[in-house]
C-alpha cells in the first residue's frame, strides 16, 4: 500500500519526521517497508542556467556549455541540439544519481564534462507531468526557478511515498482513507474525513439500464450509475500526478476515475460502455458450459460454471471481480458509461482468479474483502469526480440491487475480560474514548462496553471472538510497549525433555563422538532415485507420498529413505574436496500406507566415504551407538538389499526380532549412478525400533575376584563360514570354567592355508568364580574347546 | 701404622674413589669394593679381634663413623648421578609441542541448527516447558481449519502450501501441534513443539521450502499478554544474552488475537542499523499472540476459561542470526567446511 505524504496531509496534520511517523505506525501494526521518492531514482539533479553554448572542436555533434548552478559554474559537454544561451535546464552534477548510475567527471574528446544536462525522459517525466518533457533533447524549464534548487522541488515532484505492508485482517487500510484514519490516530491528530457531495443528476438511470442478480450468495450487492454525453480525454494533471505517485499509469478520464477511487476508498469499480451492453441489461450470473470471455488484456479466457460473470442479455461482458470484457471497453468513441460498484464473494473470486491464473489488483481486493457500504461510497465518490472533471452528464438515481440493506453491527464487550487478557485496568469510558480515535463508536453500558462496529471494520466479529478483537484494538491504541512483562502464575510445572527427544540427543551425540558430521537434507526426492537404488518393483521404499504441486518432477516425492539425499551431499563434498566424508542424518521418511496420513518413520542414516573406511568401521560405529543407547544383543545377518553390494550387506535385528536397520557397502552400480568415487558404506537405522529395543537398565555386576587366563587359538575353516558360529562353539564348549570375552582378532587367507579355506584366530578369557585356575584346569578347558571346534569342522591351524 | 690411621686413610681413599664414579653402575661396583663382604673396610674390621679390649671399643666406634660417612657419600653420589641421567633423558626426549595432536577419530560436528534448537529448548525447559511432537504431513484441518483458517480464508495465501491431496498438506508451521495437544492432553500445560515445516518458497539466500520451527504453547487459566511478554523476554535473554533488547509490536495471524511479532535488537550492528537488519536496528524473530478463541473452542474448551499463549519461531533464522550465517542454503548443503565451523 503506497501512501503519498502529500495526500495524507490533505486529511491529517503531519507534525513529525518521516522516521517518527514510520515508528508510530509500526506500533499500530502497520509496518513500513520503505519510503520512496516521488521522482524515483533521481538524486542530486539541480536547476542550472546555460550561460553560453559553443561547438566542441573535436566533434561534429558535441557542444560545450558553460552552466551556472548558483553556487558555481560548470563546464558540461552535451550531445543535445536544443540547448541555447540562457536556457534553464536540469543538471546532474558530479555525484548525482540517475537511474542507479552515479555521475562522475568524464573526459569527452579532450574536454572534461563536470556533469550532464538531463532530458525529461531521463528524469522519468512525461508531457503531462511537465510540458516539453517528451521532446527530443534536454528538458527546457519554462519557469524561472532558483538556480541550484533540487529539480524535484522546483517541479513539485518532491513527495515522499510510504510503502506500508497491510496485514490480511485490515483490507480497509488498503486505501488512502483507511490509512489516514489510522495515521491520524497514531499521530494524535483528528482525521479530517472528506465528505462526498452527492450528485443528483438528471433523469433516472432506470430509463437507461437495469441490473439483475441471479446469485445473491456470490454477489450480495450491485450498485451502478449512468453517465451520458461522455467526453473521453486525459484526466487532469493533479489526478495523473497522484495516480503516478502510487504507481498507476494514467489512461483516460473515465478509467482514471475508477482507479483513483480504488486508491482512495479501496473499492474496485468498473466502467462499461453502455452502448455495448445488449438490452441495456446487466445480468450477474454464473458462467455457462463452454463460455469464453475475452478480457481487457485481449486474452480469450474459457470460463466455467463455478465462475461469476457480469453479462448482458446475450453474452459475458466481464469476469466478476477479476477483469472487464474487451467487448464493453471504454474507448474514445464511448458516449455513455455504466459505473459498476459491487460486492463479490471473496472466496469465489479467489478460486476464479487462481483458476484463470490471473490475480488482478481488483481481484486481490475482493479476495481480501470489501463491504456493501464501501461499494456505495466508492460509486458516489466516482460520480462526484465525474462532475468535477466535467467528464459527462450524470444521470439521476443509483441502481441498487441487493437482498438486504446492510445495517450496523452492535456488540457488547466484557470490560473485565479485555482487561484480564491484556493485564490492564482500564474503565469502560477509557476504552470507549480509545476506540473513538479509530472511528469505532463505543459507550459504557450495562454488562460491559457497547460497541457499534463501523461498516469498514469487517475484521471485527460479532460472535465468539468479539472480546478478543476489541482487546487487540485496545492493545494497539494503548501501546504494546506499555504492557509490562510478567511471570506466568499458577501451578508449577516440571519442564522436561521426554525420553524420545533425549534418545534423539543421545544418538546424535554418540555419532558425533565417533567422528561423524551431521547433515540436514531436504525431504523432497525424485521418482528416479528408486531405479537408481535398483529397488525391485513392489519395494516398500517405492511407496512414496506424492506432492500435488511440487517445484518439479525431481522434487515431487517425499523421501522414503535418507540414503539418496545423503549420497547427494556426500558426492557434493567429495567434488568440493571439503576434506570430510563421514556423515549422519536423523530425519523423517514417509511411506504411503493407504491411510489418510502416511506413516512417518524417523530414521538414522550414516554414510562413509574416502580413505580408511570399510564395512567393519561402519559396523563398529553402529555397535558403539547401540551400546550408548542401550540396545543389547543385536543380531547381524547377511542380507540382500538391492542397493548394497551382494555379500557386503547386513540386516540388524533386535533380540526380539525388531528390524533395527540395514548396513553395507553401496552397490557399485548405485555408486555409479551417483558418480561416487571409491567405496561408500551406508547404514539406515529405524529410530522407533531402537527406542523399543533398548533397555535403560544398567545393573552392577561384582568384579571377578580371581585373575583370568588369556588364551588364543587359530582354526582353519571353509572360507564362507560365518565366524559367529565358532564364537558360539567356543562359548558353549564344556570347558568346566567360565569362558568370556571371545573375540575374533584375525582372519587370514593365503600362504599355508588351502584354497577355499580361511584361518580364524580367536582370543578369550578363562576363569573361575572362586579361585585362580590351575594349569591343569586351563589345559582341560583348552582341550574341551579344541575338541568342540574340531567336532564343528574347525581343526586347529597346524 | 695403627688401625686408626689405616681407617682414616681408607676413608680418604674411598671417598675419592666414590666421588670419581661416572655412572650408577660404577658407583655400585665401588660401593661393593669398599663396603661389600670382601671390601676393604670389611677386611680391616676383620682384624679387630687382635686388639685390646678398650682399644677395640674406640676403633669400633671410629670404624662405624667411617662406614656411615662413606654411606652418606654414596647416597649423595647416587642422587647426583640419577639427576644427570634424568636430565640426559629429558634432553633426548624433548618434543615439539606445537606439532599437531593425534586422536584416532577426531570429534564430528552437530549441525548448527541442532545446536540452536537445543539452546532454545534448554531455555524453555528451564521455564517449565515440556516437549511435544506432531507429524510433518498433516491434515488440512489441523494445519488450517481448526486454527481458525477455514478453506478460502484469504490469510491462507500468507503461507503457500504443498498439498498431498485436498485434505492433506505438508505442514506449513508447527501450529497444528497445538490442535494435537489440545485434543490429546488436558490443560493446563506448557509445551514446546519443534519440527520441520514446508512452504512453496523458491530457494534463495533467505528462503528455503524446508525449514524448522519451534512452537511454544501454554494453556492455563488467567494468562495475559503480559505473561507472553515475560516468557519471550526471558527466553530471548537466555539465547542471545542479557544485553539484547526486545520489541513486541502488533501484527496479525489468524490463530492469535491479539497478535504480535517480536523483534530483537540487531546483534550484528548493536542496533545502529546494518545490511542484516535492513538499517532498522531490529530483527524480527517470531510471531506470537493470545490463542484465538475459535481455536480453543474448536478443540472443545471454553475460551473464557482457558487462555492460550502461543509463539512460533524459525530455528533456521535464529541459527543464522546466532552464528552470522548469511545464506540459508548453506544449512542444507552439508558442506563439511561449513559444518566444521560449529
Amino acid at each position: 500500500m503506497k501512501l503519498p505524504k502529500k495526500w495524507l496531509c490533505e486529511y491529517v496534520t503531519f507534525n513529525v519526521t518521516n522516521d517518527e511517523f514510520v515508528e508510530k505506525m509500526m506500533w499500530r501494526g502497520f509496518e513500513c517497508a520503505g519510503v520512496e521518492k516521488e521522482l524515483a531514482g533521481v538524486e542530486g539533479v539541480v536547476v542550472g542556467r546555460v550561460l553560453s553554448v559553443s561547438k566542441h572542436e573535436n566533434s561534429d555533434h558535441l557542444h560545450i556549455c558553460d552552466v551556472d548552478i548558483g553556487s558555481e559554474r560548470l563546464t558540461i559537454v552535451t550531445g543535445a541540439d536544443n540547448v541555447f544561451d540562457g536556457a534553464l535546464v536540469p543538471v546532474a552534477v558530479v555525484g548525482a544519481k540517475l537511474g542507479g548510475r552515479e555521475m562522475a567527471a568524464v573526459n569527452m574528446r579532450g574536454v572534461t564534462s563536470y556533469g550532464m544536462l538531463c532530458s525529461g525522459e531521463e528524469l522519468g517525466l512525461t508531457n503531462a507531468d511537465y510540458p516539453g518533457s517528451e521532446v527530443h533533447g534536454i528538458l527546457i524549464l519554462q519557469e524561472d526557478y532558483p538556480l541550484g534548487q533540487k529539480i524535484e522541488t522546483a517541479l513539485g515532484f518532491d513527495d515522499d511515498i510510504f510503502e506500508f505492508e497491510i496485514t490480511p485482517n485490515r483490507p480497509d487500510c488498503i486505501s488512502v482513507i483507511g490509512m489516514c484514519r489510522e495515521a491520524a490516530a497514531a499521530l494524535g491528530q483528528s482525521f479530517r474525513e472528506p465528505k462526498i457531495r452527492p450528485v443528483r443528476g438528471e433523469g433516472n438511470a432506470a430509463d437507461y439500464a437495469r441490473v439483475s442478480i441471479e446469485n445473491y450468495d456470490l454477489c450480495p450487492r450491485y450498485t451502478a450509475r449512468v453517465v451520458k454525453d461522455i467526453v473521453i480525454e486525459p484526466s487532469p494533471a493533479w489526478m495523473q500526478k497522484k495516480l503516478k505517485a502510487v504507481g498507476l499509469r494514467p489512461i483516460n478520464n473515465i478509467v482514471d476515475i475508477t482507479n483513483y477511487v480504488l486508491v482512495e476508498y479501496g473499492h474496485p469499480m468498473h466502467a462499461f460502455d453502455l452502448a455495448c451492453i445488449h438490452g441495456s441489461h446487466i445480468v450477474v450470473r454464473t458462467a455457462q458450459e463452454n463460455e469464453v470471455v475475452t478480457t481487457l488484456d485481449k486474452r480469450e479466457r474459457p470460463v466455467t460454471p463455478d465462475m461469476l460473470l457480469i453479462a448482458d442479455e446475450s453474452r459475458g461482458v466481464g469476469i466478476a471481480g477479476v477483469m472487464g470484457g474487451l467487448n464493453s471497453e471504454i474507448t474514445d468513441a464511448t458516449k455513455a458509461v455504466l459505473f459498476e460498484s459491487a460486492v463479490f464473494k471473496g472466496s469465489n473470486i479467489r478460486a476464479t482468479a487462481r483458476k484463470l491464473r490471473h490475480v488482478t489488483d481488483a481481484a486481490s481486493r475482493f479476495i481480501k474483502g470489501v463491504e456493501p457500504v464501501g461499494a456505495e461510497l466508492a460509486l458516489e465518490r466516482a460520480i462526484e469526480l465525474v462532475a468535477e472533471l466535467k467528464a459527462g452528464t450524470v444521470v439521476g438515481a443509483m441502481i441498487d440491487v441487493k437482498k438486504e440493506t446492510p445495517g450496523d453491527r452492535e456488540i457488547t464487550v466484557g470490560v473485565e475480560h479485555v482487561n484480564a487478557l491484556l493485564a490492564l485496568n482500564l474503565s469502560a469510558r477509557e476504552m470507549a474514548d480509545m476506540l473513538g480515535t479509530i472511528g469505532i463508536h463505543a459507550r459504557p453500558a450495562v454488562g460491559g462496553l457497547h460497541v457499534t462496529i463501523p461498516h469498514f471494520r469487517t475484521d471485527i466479529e460479532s460472535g465468539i471472538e468479539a472480546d478478543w478483537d476489541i482487546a487487540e484494538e485496545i492493545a494497539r491504541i494503548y501501546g504494546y510497549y506499555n504492557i509490562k512483562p510478567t511471570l506466568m502464575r499458577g501451578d508449577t510445572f516440571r519442564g522436561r525433555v521426554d525420553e524420545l527427544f533425549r534418545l534423539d540427543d543421545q544418538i546424535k551425540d554418540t555419532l558425533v563422538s565417533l567422528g561423524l558430521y551431521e547433515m540436514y537434507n531436504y525431504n523432497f526426492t525424485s521418482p528416479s532415485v528408486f531405479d537408481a537404488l535398483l529397488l525391485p518393483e513392489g519395494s516398500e521404499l517405492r511407496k512414496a507420498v506424492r506432492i500435488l504441486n511440487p517445484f518439479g518432477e525431481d522434487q515431487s516425492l517425499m523421501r522414503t529413505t535418507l540414503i539418496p539425499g545423503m549420497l547427494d551431499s556426500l558426492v557434493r563434498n567429495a567434488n568440493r574436496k571439503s576434506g570430510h566424508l563421514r556423515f549422519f542424518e536423523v530425519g523423517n521418511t514417509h511411506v504411503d500406507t493407504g491411510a489418510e496420513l502416511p506413516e512417518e518413520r524417523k530414521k538414522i542414516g550414516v554414510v562413509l566415504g574416502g580413505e580408511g573406511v570399510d564395512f567393519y568401521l561402519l559396523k563398529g560405529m553402529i555397535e558403539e551407538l547401540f551400546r550408548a543407547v542401550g540396545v543389547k544383543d543385536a543380531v547381524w545377518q547377511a542380507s540382500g538389499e538391492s542397493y548394497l553390494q551382494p555379500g557386503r550387506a547386513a540386516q540388524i535385528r533386535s533380540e526380539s526380532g525388531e528390524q533395527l536397520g540395514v548396513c553395507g557397502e553401496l552397490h557399485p552400480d548405485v555408486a555409479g549412478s551417483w558418480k561416487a568415487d571409491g567405496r561408500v558404506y551406508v547404514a539406515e537405522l529405524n529410530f522407533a525400533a531402537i527406542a523399543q529395543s533398548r533397555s535403560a537398565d544398567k545393573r552392577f555386576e561384582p568384579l571377578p575376584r580371581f585373575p583370568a587366563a588369556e588364551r588364543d587359538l587359530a582354526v582353519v575353516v571353509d572360507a564362507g563360514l560365518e565366524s559367529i558360529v565358532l564364537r558360539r562353539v567356543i562359548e558353549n564348549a564344556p570347558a568346566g570354567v567360565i569362558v568370556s570375552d571371545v573375540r575374533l582378532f584375525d582372519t587370514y587367507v593365503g600362504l599355508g592355508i588351502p584354497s577355499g579355506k580361511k584361518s580364524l584366530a580367536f582370543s578369550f578369557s578363562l576363569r573361575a568364580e572362586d579361585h585362580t585356575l590351575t594349569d591343569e584346569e586351563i589345559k582341560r578347558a583348552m582341550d574341551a574347546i579344541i575338541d568342540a571346534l574340531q567336532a564343528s569342522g574347525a581343526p586347529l591351524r597346524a | 701404622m695403627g688401625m686408626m690411621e689405616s681407617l682414616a686413610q681408607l676413608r680418604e681413599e674411598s671417598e675419592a674413589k666414590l666421588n670419581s664414579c661416572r655412572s650408577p653402575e660404577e658407583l655400585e661396583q665401588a660401593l661393593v669394593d669398599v663396603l661389600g663382604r670382601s671390601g676393604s673396610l670389611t677386611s680391616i674390621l676383620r682384624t679387630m679381634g687382635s686388639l685390646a679390649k678398650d682399644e677395640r671399643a674406640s676403633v669400633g666406634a671410629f670404624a662405624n663413623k667411617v662406614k656411615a660417612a662413606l654411606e652418606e657419600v654414596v647416597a649423595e653420589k647416587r642422587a647426583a648421578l640419577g639427576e644427570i641421567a634424568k636430565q640426559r633423558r629429558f634432553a633426548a626426549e624433548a618434543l615439539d609441542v606445537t606439532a599437531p595432536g593425534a586422536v584416532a577419530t577426531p570429534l564430528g560436528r552437530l549441525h548448527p541448527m541442532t545446536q540452536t534448537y537445543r539452546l532454545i529448548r534448554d531455555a524453555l525447559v528451564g521455564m517449565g516447558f515440556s516437549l511435544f511432537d506432531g507429524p510433518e504431513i498433516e491434515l488440512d484441518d489441523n494445519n488450517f481449519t481448526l486454527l481458525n483458517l477455514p478453506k478460502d480464508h484469504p490469510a491462507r495465501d500468507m503461507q503457500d502450501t504443498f498439498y498431498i491431496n485436498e485434505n492433506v498438506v505438508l505442514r506449513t508451521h508447527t501450529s497444528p501441534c497445538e490442535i494435537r495437544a489440545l485434543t490429546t492432553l488436558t490443560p493446563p500445560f506448557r509445551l514446546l513443539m519443534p519440527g520441520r515445516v514446508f512452504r512453496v518458497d523458491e530457494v534463495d539466500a533467505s528462503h528455503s521450502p524446508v525449514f524448522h520451527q519451534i512452537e511454544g504453547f501454554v494453556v492455563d487459566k488467567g494468562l495475559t499478554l503480559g505473561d507472553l511478554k515475560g516468557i519471550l523476554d526471558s527466553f530471548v535473554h537466555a539465547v542471545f544474552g542479557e544485553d539484547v533488547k526486545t520489541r513486541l509490536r502488533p501484527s496479525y495471524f489468524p490463530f492469535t488475537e491479539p497478535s504480535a511479532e517480536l523483534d530483537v535488537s540487531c546483534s550484528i550492528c548493536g542496533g545502529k542499523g546494518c545490511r542484516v537488519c535492513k538499517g532498522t536496528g531490529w530483527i524480527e524473530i517470531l510471531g506470537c499472540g493470545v490463542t484465538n478463541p475459535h481455536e480453543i473452542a474448536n478443540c472443545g474448551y471454553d475460551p473464557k476459561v482457558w487462555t492460550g499463549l502461543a509463539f512460533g519461531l524459525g530455528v533456521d533464522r535464529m541459527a543464522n542470526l546466532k552464528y552470522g550465517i548469511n545464506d540459508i542454503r548453506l544449512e542444507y548443503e552439508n558442506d563439511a567446511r561449513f559444518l566444521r565451523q560449529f
Side-chain angles (χ1 to χ4, degrees), chain A residues 166-183:
Chain A
I166 308 297
T167 52
N169 59 325
R170 293 302 300 272
D172 62 307
C173 287
I174 319 173
S175 72
V176 169
I177 296 292
M179 280 308 280
C180 286
R181 183 182 292 116
E182 285 288 341

Side-chain angles (χ1 to χ4, degrees), chain A residues 773-785:
Chain A
L773 293 182
T774 62
D775 288 349
E776 188 55 32
E777 282 173 309
I778 293 170
K779 186 174 181 311
R780 267 206 310 272
M782 287 299 287
D783 288 346
I785 290 170

